[in-house]
Amino acid sequence: MNQTTSPPEDATPPSEATRLGDLYSWQSLLFVLLVVGGLAIGLVYIFGITWNGERLLEGQYYWLFIGLFVAAAFIALPARRGQNKVPFYDLIAAAVALGISVFFSTHAWDMVQSGWNHIPMGTVMWLLMLEVARRSGGLPFLLVVVLLGLYPLIADRLPGLLMGIPYDFDRMIEAHIFRAEGMMGITTKIVAEIILGFLVFAGVLIATGGGAFFIDLANAGFGRYRGGPAKVSVVASAFFGSLSGSIFSNIAGTGSITIPTMKKVGYPAHYAGAIEACASTGGVLMPPVMGAIAFVMAITIGVDYATVMVAAIIPSLLFYFGLLLQVDAYAARTGLKGVPREQLPSAREVLKRGWPFISVLVFLIWGLLYMRWEYYAPWYACVLMVALSFLQKETRMTPRRLYQTLRQIGILVTQTAAIILPIAFVVSALTITGVTGALTSGLVSLGGGNIFLIIFFGVLACFVMGMAGLAIVAYIFLAVTLAPAIIDVGGLNTIAVHFFIVYYAMLSVITPPVGAAAFLAATIAGGKPMQTSFTAMRLGVVIYFVPLFFLFQPALVLQGDLTPLIYVLPSIIVGIMLISGGLEGYLLGAGRVRPWLRFPLIAAGFAFSFPGLMTTIIGGLASAALAALVWNDNRRQAQTA
């Protein structure tokens, strides 16, 4: 009998750890009320709804949004692990955050016109935001926000490139809390305007069974092939992640189904967790939606989101191609089979049941690319999704499901806001001290004007900041320091440079010693976290070297002259096949790879992939010889068997 993974109506979609308790607990009810208030005020501002002929000012909206969702964070996010109840001091903190924010919103016009501020209340708000940063990102995130945020106090006492314009504490708080350099600037704009609609859309998608649909669709297409459940995990996470834009929701939502299935057919726990971690990470850079970093990049570069979305197509497809090749090679080498056809859902039945999700996906792409609605598109897609949900009993937006959806949306928005809003202090500190320009010129000097050395130092910076679990912080910091240096010295394409930084910043979630995505997947899989993280590094190898390729060949991000794609893209595809074969010990079309041939195969594949004439020729000749050697070796073994 065909099986599907459709959830029952009362199923609560898995999400990151919160302490909201049962669906109708008092803390859950309070949380949903705050969320409804935040979404309502967001709709009023984003769609320009007037009251007595007047619109909300930007500052008024930002402070109301901050107050409602910071209060929600103190309700939902526990102060320490294992804390299941909301203590009285968190209720007080939530009330204080909301009260101060409402008070500030009433003075939004004065902030703009006359530089109004209230340092004592601003200091309290700063401390509350630091606590929210700790709860959402852990101690490493808090340390970075605090240390970089306090940098203006000692900017004139640091040597060389780190010296900047000093600020006393009051002026620092004024910049961090009340000015466009800080919380009234880009970070709040990203959450409260640009990605809010996409987070709402992700919540609606999860609540109406979108995750289950994409898993069923992937099962119908790939489940019966060797290592089928792993391929299902890759494809389903790519689909779902591209729409939800959340790595951790993706792992929790699809991984809770795909990881046990992978283990059932023979994948080790650490390998199953690593596959899901890589697949979910790639989804954040997979069009059409992607994640928050893509929106930050669009604003930073000064292009529309459609340009960023189109540029991401080829790199993301190459990443998933490499991941699929590796899971296939592992299955071939270890003899893992797929799931029997009779245990898989029918593709026809899945499409018949899930056509609303496909319709919404097509509508969203049309709205983003053709209509250029940008951050209005997901709101319209939400309306369409809710309307289509009434056509099927399984997805119908009943009052219970509506409440559940609001809670899910609230979790996504609250956790995203809790991570991104405190970054305002880092941005403010770097901006007001003027240190960004000094760091840019310093990188150029340190590299001696050599573009390759500058790129090398940039990669190191991405790794150091990224491994602390701070992908967005790493990108924002390097976008204003490293990117100008690379562009000025190398004369490289702006979008290619920023994508290069984004990809290396994103490595944080699968790279030890932190590897938050790999650790979460390991928890679900029951594997060792560090082993899972190192395995994820190997499986996600494409994301480690492809950024270097499109940095020197912008046609790969669909910039400039696209003619080189005719010969560059095939060489990269073949190179990825060789690298995957070397890493997993099985070359597609040739068979098993002996241990002593694996590293030469990886090296030849990398050389063949690199967009340079001499490296491609040398790598191509070496690759052809090695592939022939592997094929001949397997043929001899087959004849003697």
Side-chain angles (χ1 to χ4, degrees):
M1 179 181 292
N2 294 335
Q3 297 178 353
T4 66
T5 54
S6 301
E9 179 185 348
D10 59 350
T12 301
S15 58
E16 296 91 328
T18 65
R19 58 176 180 197
L20 294 179
D22 297 332
L23 195 62
Y24 295 111
S25 62
W26 71 266
Q27 59 262 44
S28 183
L29 287 168
L30 177 58
F31 176 77
V32 169
L33 285 175
L34 291 168
V35 169
V36 169
L39 296 180
I41 203 72
L43 284 170
V44 168
Y45 178 77
I46 291 171
F47 287 92
I49 300 173
T50 60
W51 181 262
N52 292 330
E54 295 184 2
R55 290 185 56 177
L56 272 177
L57 294 175
E58 182 181 71
Q60 288 176 314
Y61 168 56
Y62 284 1
W63 276 119
L64 291 174
F65 179 90
I66 290 169
L68 288 163
F69 282 104
V70 168
F74 278 108
I75 301 299
L77 305 181
R80 59 183 182 275
R81 185 172 297 178
Q83 186 184 59
N84 297 320
K85 295 182 179 180
V86 181
F88 73 94
Y89 53 80
D90 277 350
L91 292 174
I92 293 173
V96 170
L98 182 57
I100 290 176
S101 297
V102 171
F103 176 70
F104 285 171
S105 73
T106 63
H107 289 83
W109 182 254
D110 296 330
M111 288 183 195
V112 176
Q113 291 294 101
S114 59
W116 181 93
N117 65 69
H118 194 292
I119 299 303
M121 284 190 178
T123 303
V124 173
M125 197 68 198
W126 176 67
L127 293 172
L128 291 173
M129 292 303 302
L130 293 180
E131 172 60 14
V132 166
R134 185 190 68 82
R135 296 188 186 200
S136 60
L139 187 59
F141 182 49
L142 173 65
L143 288 175
V144 170
V145 172
V146 170
L147 293 178
L148 289 180
L150 291 175
Y151 164 72
L153 298 179
I154 57 170
D156 61 332
R157 303 176 190 174
L158 296 178
L161 300 178
L162 298 178
M163 182 178 291
I165 301 170
Y167 276 67
D168 60 30
F169 184 80
D170 285 1
R171 292 176 63 213
M172 182 194 75
I173 291 295
E174 180 183 7
H176 285 356
I177 301 296
F178 300 101
R179 301 290 171 257
E181 295 87 352
M183 290 191 68
M184 293 296 98
I186 185 173
T187 52
T188 305
K189 182 182 180 67
I190 289 167
V191 184
E193 292 186 52
I194 298 174
I195 67 172
L196 180 61
F198 289 99
L199 295 172
V200 172
F201 176 70
V204 172
L205 192 70
I206 293 169
T208 52
F213 163 70
F214 288 118
I215 290 173
D216 284 344
L217 186 62
N219 261 313
F222 297 88
R224 66 182 182 273
Y225 300 109
R226 63 187 180 197
K231 294 172 182 175
V232 168
S233 172
V234 173
V235 175
S237 294
F239 276 130
F240 187 67
S242 70
L243 293 176
S244 71
S246 170
I247 295 174
F248 300 104
S249 290
N250 199 353
I251 293 173
T254 59
S256 59
I257 299 173
T258 59
I259 288 175
T261 310
M262 284 189 275
K263 292 174 65 179
K264 187 177 180 180
V265 299
Y267 282 97
H270 72 276
Y271 202 95
I275 291 170
E276 181 60 42
C278 283
S280 295
T281 299
V284 176
L285 293 173
M286 179 78 174
V289 176
M290 304 191 285
I293 287 185
F295 298 95
V296 178
M297 182 166 61
I299 294 174
T300 304
I301 299 174
V303 298
D304 57 24
Y305 178 69
T307 301
V308 174
M309 184 177 74
V310 170
I313 293 174
I314 292 178
S316 60
L317 290 177
L318 290 174
F319 170 76
Y320 278 108
F321 175 67
L323 187 55
L324 281 171
L325 280 177
Q326 287 203 73
V327 299
D328 179 74
Y330 182 90
R333 179 169 57 84
T334 57
L336 297 181
K337 306 297 182 183
V339 178
R341 186 186 294 269
E342 60 271 14
Q343 296 181 18
L344 296 171
S346 162
R348 178 178 296 179
E349 290 300 317
V350 171
L351 291 172
K352 182 180 178 181
R353 170 175 60 85
W355 69 266
F357 300 107
I358 296 177
S359 301
V360 171
L361 174 60
V362 171
F363 175 82
L364 184 62
I365 295 173
W366 174 74
L368 287 169
L369 286 181
Y370 182 75
M371 297 302 295
R372 304 282 174 156
W373 284 333
E374 297 195 350
Y375 47 83
Y376 293 106
W379 292 102
Y380 299 142
C382 285
V383 174
L384 179 60
M385 187 72 254
V386 171
L388 294 177
S389 75
F390 285 97
L391 299 179
Q392 296 181 354
K393 182 180 178 181
E394 295 80 8
T395 60
R396 192 168 297 153
M397 195 61 70
T398 61
R400 179 182 179 85
R401 178 167 277 127
L402 176 61
Y403 177 83
Q404 178 181 310
T405 302
L406 289 170
R407 193 170 94 147
Q408 181 64 43
I409 290 169
I411 291 171
L412 290 174
V413 178
T414 300
Q415 291 173 330
T416 303
I419 282 286
I420 295 180
L421 290 177
I423 298 172
F425 305 149
V426 176
V427 176
S428 174
L430 295 175
T431 302
I432 63 178
T433 56
V435 75
T436 53
L439 286 173
T440 299
S441 60
L443 279 171
V444 174
S445 300
L446 192 61
N450 186 306
I451 184 62
F452 297 103
L453 278 178
I454 294 171
I455 290 171
F456 173 73
F457 290 133
V459 169
L460 288 180
C462 286
F463 266 80
V464 170
M465 295 192 70
M467 284 193 299
L470 307 166
I472 293 179
V473 176
Y475 171 70
I476 292 174
F477 180 78
L478 295 171
V480 297
T481 55
L482 176 65
I486 295 177
I487 293 168
D488 292 343
V489 174
L492 301 177
N493 180 269
T494 300
I495 289 181
V497 169
H498 281 264
F499 259 104
F500 165 81
I501 294 172
V502 164
Y503 265 81
Y504 277 114
M506 285 300 299
L507 292 177
S508 63
V509 293
I510 61 172
T511 303
V514 177
F519 288 6
L520 175 60
T523 301
I524 297 173
K528 296 179 179 178
M530 199 58 71
Q531 185 183 18
T532 302
S533 188
F534 277 111
T535 305
M537 282 184 66
R538 190 178 81 241
L539 290 172
V541 66
V542 172
I543 205 174
Y544 286 84
F545 65 80
V546 161
L548 291 171
F549 294 175
F550 59 66
L551 187 64
F552 292 102
Q553 185 46 265
L556 290 170
V557 287
L558 300 179
Q559 296 293 303
D561 181 16
L562 301 185
T563 305
L565 286 179
I566 297 172
Y567 55 88
V568 170
L569 194 55
S571 69
I572 291 178
I573 291 173
V574 174
I576 290 174
M577 293 174 65
L578 296 167
I579 292 169
S580 300
L583 286 170
E584 291 297 336
Y586 186 94
L587 182 61
L588 187 67
R592 291 176 180 270
V593 181
R594 291 183 182 272
W596 64 272
L597 276 174
R598 291 173 69 166
F599 180 76
L601 198 63
I602 294 169
F606 181 83
F608 189 45
S609 300
F610 196 85
L613 181 60
M614 288 305 299
T615 56
T616 299
I617 292 174
I618 295 171
L621 293 173
S623 298
L626 290 168
L629 186 62
V630 172
W631 180 82
N632 190 54
D633 182 48
N634 279 276
R635 190 185 66 167
R636 282 203 317 268
Q637 290 186 31
Q639 289 174 347
T640 57

